[in-house]
C-alpha cells in the first residue's frame, strides 16, 4: 500500500531528514505472463497502464521500457498543453485530455504543476488572421475557450512582444486559450508510474523489446532483453520507434520519424507569464518555474533516429525569437536537445487496433503529444480493454489511411507540425 | 547535420538539400486497377527504417537535381550516393 503524499507526510519525513521516504515504484522482474503488456514507459504508456488498472480493472499488466521511464520525449518536450484544434475530432480528443489535466494532481496524489497560464498563437499575415479567426469560431462551437486578440491586446497580454509594424513578420493579432498552459513533464511520468505501481502494474525498465511473437492473426507474446513475456494484448506506445516495433510484427505504419529540437536559456527573473506560439515564423516560448526560457524549434525535414537535430533549425528559430522579443538578444542558451517524433501524413495521431488481433498502436503524435498524455492514456486503455475504440478516438484509427477519412490538422492545428 | 556528396556538385552541407523520403517506391502502372489498400500502401505507408535506408534527396539550393542516397538513420552516416535511374550499389 502506498502512503499518501500530504503536508503531514512531509512533516513526518522531515523528522527523519527525508531519508525514509517510501519507494515511489518497485523495480520488478517480469513475470512469465501478463493479461496485457504496454511497450514504452513514457507518459502515454504509463497513463495507459494507469487507466487500464484504474478504470478497467486490468491489474495483471506490465509496462516494458528500453531505457528509464520518462527518458524519451516525455522528458524532451516544451510541456505546452492546449486544446484549440480546428477539427471536431481533434477538439474532442485534446479537450478530453485538457479536462483530465485540470484535476490530474488530485487524481494522482502527485503535483504535476499544471499551470493554466494561457497559450497565445500569433498571426503574422492576412491568411494567418483568417485561419486563426476561423479556428477561434470552430473552437467555440466545440465548447473550447478561445478569443481573438487585436495587435494592441496581444501587446497588453504579453508586453515584451515587438508589435512594431515594420518588423519582417509584423504581429497582426493572435488567439488566446486561457485554459491552456504548461505542466511539469517529469512529474507526469513519475505520477502515473507511482499510481500504476500502487495498483499492481509491473514497470520494467531497461527491458527492450526484440520481437513480437505472432501466431497467424493474433499475438502470443514479446521477446525482450529480459526473456520471453507471454501475453494476449500488446499496446505499443513507442513514439519515434513505433515503426521499429511495427516492423517486428510485420506491419507498416504511415509514419516518418524525425528529430524535433528544443532549447532552454540561462535562468532569469520572471519575464513571460504565458506561452506564446507563432506558426508563421515557427517560434514558441514560455518560461519555466526555474526561470529558463523554454523554446521549441522545428523538426528536421529528413528521417533520423539520432536525438540531435540540425543547427540551422535552431538558428532559424532563434532569429524569429529575436525579432519578436528584442529583449532576449543578450540571453545565453544553456541546453539544446532533440527527441524523435513520429509524424503522420495528416499530423493527427493513431490510437487504434490493427489487423493483428491483440496488437494495438498509440502513435503518430508527432510534435505535439505531451498535451494529450492523460487523454491518450485513457482512450488507449479503453481501446485495449474493450477491443473497440472509444467514441473520442474512433476517428483516429489506422484504417483512415485506406478510407481517406483523414483528420488533417496540418497548419490547422495552430502550429506547423 | 551532415555533409551530402551531390553527384553533380560535390560535397555540400545538408541544409542545401531537401529530403524526398523513401526511395524506390514504384509508381503504380495502372492506377485505376488499384484497391484502396494498395493506394494506402503507395501513398502513406513507409518503412521508416532505423538503420540503413534508401532515400531520395534534391539539391534544392544548388543544381536542383534529384538523386538517391543510402544513409544510416541511426547515426546519419551516408554509405553511398547514386543517380536517379541507377541501380543502388551492392556494397
Amino acid at each position: 500500500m502506498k502512503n499518501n503524499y500530504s503536508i503531514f507526510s512531509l512533516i513526518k519525513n522531515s523528522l527523519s531528514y527525508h531519508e525514509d521516504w517510501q519507494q515511489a515504484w518497485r523495480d520488478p522482474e517480469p513475470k512469465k505472463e501478463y493479461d496485457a503488456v504496454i511497450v514504452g514507459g513514457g507518459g502515454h504508456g504509463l497513463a495507459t497502464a494507469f487507466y487500464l488498472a484504474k478504470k478497467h480493472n486490468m491489474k495483471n499488466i506490465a509496462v516494458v521500457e528500453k531505457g528509464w521511464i520518462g527518458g524519451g520525449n516525455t522528458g524532451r518536450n516544451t510541456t505546452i498543453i492546449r486544446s484549440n484544434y480546428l477539427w471536431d475530432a481533434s477538439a474532442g480528443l485534446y479537450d478530453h485530455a485538457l479536462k483530465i489535466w485540470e484535476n490530474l494532481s488530485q487524481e494522482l496524489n502527485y503535483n504535476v504543476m499544471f499551470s493554466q497560464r494561457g497559450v497565445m498563437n500569433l498571426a503574422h499575415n492576412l491568411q494567418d488572421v483568417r485561419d486563426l479567426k476561423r479556428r477561434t469560431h470552430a473552437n467555440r462551437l466545440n465548447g473550447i475557450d478561445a478569443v481573438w486578440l487585436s495587435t494592441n491586446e496581444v501587446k497588453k497580454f504579453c508586453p515584451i512582444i515587438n508589435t512594431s509594424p515594420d518588423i519582417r513578420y509584423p504581429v497582426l493579432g493572435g488567439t488566446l486559450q486561457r485554459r491552456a498552459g504548461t505542466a511539469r513533464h517529469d512529474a507526469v511520468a513519475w505520477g502515473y508510474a507511482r499510481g500504476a505501481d500502487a495498483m499492481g502494474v509491473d514497470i520494467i525498465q531497461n527491458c527492450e523489446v526484440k520481437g513480437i511473437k505472432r501466431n497467424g492473426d493474433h499475438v502470443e507474446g514479446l521477446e525482450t532483453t529480459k526473456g520471453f513475456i507471454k501475453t494476449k494484448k500488446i499496446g505499443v506506445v513507442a513514439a519515434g520507434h513505433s515503426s521499429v516495433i511495427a516492423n517486428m510484427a510485420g506491419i507498416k505504419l504511415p509514419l516518418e520519424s524525425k528529430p524535433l529540437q528544443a532549447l532552454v536559456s540561462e535562468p532569469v527573473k520572471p519575464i513571460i507569464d504565458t506561452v506564446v506560439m507563432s506558426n508563421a515564423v515557427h517560434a514558441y516560448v514560455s518560461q519555466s518555474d526555474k526561470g529558463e526560457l523554454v523554446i521549441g524549434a522545428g523538426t528536421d525535414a529528413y528521417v533520423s533516429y539520432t536525438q540531435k537535430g540540425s543547427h540551422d533549425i535552431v538558428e532559424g528559430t532563434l532569429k524569429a525569437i529575436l525579432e519578436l522579443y528584442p529583449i532576449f538578444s543578450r540571453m545565453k542558451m544553456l541546453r539544446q536537445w532533440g527527441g524523435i517524433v513520429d509524424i503522420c501524413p495528416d499530423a493527427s495521431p493513431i490510437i487504434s487496433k490493427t489487423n493483428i488481433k491483440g496488437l494495438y498502436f498509440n502513435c503518430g503524435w508527432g510534435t505535439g503529444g505531451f498535451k494529450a498524455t492523460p487523454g491518450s492514456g485513457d482512450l488507449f486503455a479503453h481501446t485495449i480493454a474493450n477491443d473497440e475504440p472509444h467514441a473520442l478516438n474512433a476517428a483516429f484509427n489506422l484504417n483512415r489511411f485506406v478510407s481517406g477519412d483523414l483528420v488533417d490538422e496540418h497548419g490547422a492545428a495552430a502550429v506547423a507540425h | 547535420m551532415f555533409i551530402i556528396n551531390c553527384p553533380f556538385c560535390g560535397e555540400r552541407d545538408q541544409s542545401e538539400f531537401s529530403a524526398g523520403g523513401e526511395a524506390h517506391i514504384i509508381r503504380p502502372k495502372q492506377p485505376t486497377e488499384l484497391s484502396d489498400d494498395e493506394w494506402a500502401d503507395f501513398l502513406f505507408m513507409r518503412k521508416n527504417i532505423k538503420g540503413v535506408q534508401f532515400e531520395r534527396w534534391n539539391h534544392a539550393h544548388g543544381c536542383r537535381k534529384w538523386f538517391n542516397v543510402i544513409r544510416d538513420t541511426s547515426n546519419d552516416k551516408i554509405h553511398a550516393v547514386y543517380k536517379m535511374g541507377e541501380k543502388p550499389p551492392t556494397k
Side-chain angles (χ1 to χ4, degrees):
Chain A
M1 193 55 207
K2 283 271 190 306
N3 294 332
N4 237 30
Y5 290 155
S6 67
I7 182 73
F8 304 108
S9 70
L10 195 61
I11 293 166
K12 192 181 142 211
N13 278 282
S14 71
L15 298 176
S16 54
Y17 302 98
H18 298 292
E19 285 174 356
D20 297 323
W21 281 99
Q22 193 184 25
Q23 197 180 19
W25 53 84
R26 297 163 295 130
D27 188 20
E29 284 302 307
K31 289 189 229 165
K32 286 208 164 59
E33 185 173 356
Y34 290 98
D35 295 337
V37 177
I38 305 301
V39 179
H44 290 241
L46 293 164
T48 304
F50 177 82
Y51 291 112
L52 272 174
K54 188 183 172 190
K55 290 178 125 180
H56 305 282
N57 207 30
M58 289 180 71
K59 295 188 174 160
N60 180 32
I61 62 174
V63 177
V64 294
E65 164 58 45
K66 73 172 172 181
W68 61 95
I69 58 165
N73 295 350
T74 303
R76 292 170 175 268
N77 66 82
T78 50
T79 77
I80 296 166
I81 295 161
R82 59 186 179 90
S83 64
N84 54 353
Y85 279 68
L86 177 68
W87 301 112
D88 293 352
S90 315
L93 178 69
Y94 291 103
D95 210 50
H96 176 62
L98 184 49
K99 282 176 188 143
I100 303 177
W101 276 113
E102 287 176 331
N103 198 36
L104 191 61
S105 292
Q106 286 73 22
E107 186 179 3
L108 295 178
N109 177 232
Y110 205 103
N111 188 3
V112 298
M113 296 165 76
F114 180 50
S115 158
Q116 291 178 294
R117 59 185 69 183
V119 169
M120 184 162 68
N121 295 101
L122 300 179
H124 296 280
N125 54 55
L126 291 176
Q127 188 58 42
D128 272 1
V129 172
R130 285 188 285 264
D131 285 346
L132 264 59
K133 280 187 175 168
R134 178 193 177 201
R135 185 171 50 68
T136 307
H137 295 311
N139 288 160
R140 289 162 82 158
L141 285 170
N142 278 317
I144 294 169
D145 69 306
V147 285
W148 169 258
L149 303 179
S150 68
T151 306
N152 286 339
E153 287 166 329
V154 167
K155 183 77 179 171
K156 203 174 160 202
F157 187 68
C158 185
I160 59 169
I161 294 181
N162 180 7
T163 52
S164 159
D166 58 7
I167 62 174
R168 177 69 182 84
Y169 299 101
V171 177
L172 302 184
T175 65
L176 175 62
Q177 185 181 21
R178 290 186 192 276
R179 284 165 63 228
T182 60
R184 169 97 166 95
H185 50 3
D186 297 323
V188 177
W190 298 335
Y192 273 122
R194 177 170 168 268
D197 180 85
M199 291 183 285
V201 176
D202 282 353
I203 297 164
I204 305 159
Q205 304 183 72
N206 299 309
C207 179
E208 187 176 351
V209 172
K210 290 290 187 188
I212 289 178
K213 195 175 172 204
R214 269 174 69 177
N215 185 355
D217 66 345
H218 64 273
V219 295
E220 289 196 322
L222 289 161
E223 294 289 353
T224 74
T225 48
K226 292 195 174 183
F228 181 72
I229 303 173
K230 195 174 165 191
T231 184
K232 289 198 176 81
K233 290 188 174 195
I234 299 171
V236 183
V237 204
H241 282 70
S242 298
S243 297
V244 177
I245 307 281
N247 288 340
M248 292 176 190
I251 60 172
K252 271 209 270 187
L253 295 172
L255 297 176
E256 285 194 315
S257 296
K258 297 172 178 177
L260 173 68
Q261 293 178 82
L263 54 161
V264 295
S265 72
E266 57 189 333
V268 291
K269 287 188 174 177
I271 184 74
I272 180 166
D273 62 357
T274 185
V275 182
V276 185
M277 311 179 74
S278 166
N279 185 5
V281 298
H282 207 289
Y284 47 100
V285 62
S286 63
Q287 191 172 16
S288 75
D289 293 343
K290 285 186 284 184
E292 304 155 326
L293 295 181
V294 183
I295 295 169
T299 52
D300 282 313
Y302 52 86
V303 171
S304 179
Y305 287 84
T306 58
Q307 289 177 321
K308 291 189 288 197
S310 305
H311 186 69
D312 55 300
I313 302 281
V314 170
E315 209 173 7
T317 290
L318 289 180
K319 275 181 193 163
I321 294 272
L322 288 189
E323 192 176 59
L324 277 175
Y325 311 91
I327 192 175
F328 295 153
S329 66
R330 289 175 195 178
M331 295 271 289
K332 291 183 178 72
M333 289 299 140
L334 200 65
R335 287 177 290 132
Q336 167 275 353
W337 65 94
I340 304 306
V341 297
D342 42 331
I343 300 177
C344 259
D346 60 353
S348 285
I350 296 165
I351 312 171
S352 179
K353 297 161 68 170
T354 63
N355 292 333
I356 302 165
K357 199 165 162 38
L359 184 64
Y360 307 86
F361 270 88
N362 182 352
C363 58
W365 289 95
T367 60
F370 178 75
K371 67 174 81 70
T373 305
S376 155
D378 182 35
L379 299 172
F380 195 42
H382 180 101
T383 307
I384 293 172
N386 299 300
D387 198 35
E388 277 301 323
H390 187 281
L392 285 173
N393 69 304
F396 299 96
N397 60 60
L398 197 47
N399 198 51
R400 72 178 188 265
F401 298 98
V402 177
S403 69
D405 192 9
L406 304 178
V407 187
D408 189 4
E409 287 288 355
H410 264 298
V415 290
H417 281 271
Chain B
M1 195 159 42
F2 45 87
I3 304 283
I4 298 175
N5 188 6
C6 172
F8 309 97
C9 311
E11 290 189 343
R12 301 293 177 87
D13 192 273
Q14 170 269 319
S15 61
E16 286 190 16
F17 298 82
S18 56
E22 192 179 319
H24 306 299
I25 296 174
I26 297 162
R27 200 181 181 84
K29 283 209 173 75
Q30 293 283 351
T32 49
E33 310 276 298
L34 246 51
S35 69
D36 289 350
D37 281 314
E38 286 166 328
W39 266 122
D41 199 53
F42 170 69
L43 284 174
F44 299 124
M45 301 301 163
R46 295 292 177 261
K47 288 182 190 150
N48 196 25
I49 292 167
K50 182 181 186 178
V52 177
Q53 165 161 295
F54 295 75
E55 50 195 27
R56 300 174 305 172
W57 284 80
N58 178 245
H59 196 180
H61 300 287
C63 62
R64 300 178 67 190
K65 287 199 176 89
W66 284 92
F67 56 95
N68 294 309
V69 171
I70 305 176
R71 183 172 60 97
D72 189 335
T73 60
S74 67
N75 56 18
D76 286 343
K77 272 196 186 129
I78 292 178
H79 292 259
V81 174
Y82 57 101
K83 290 179 184 169
M84 281 291 165
E86 284 178 7
K87 287 236 165 69
T90 45
K91 198 186 170 316

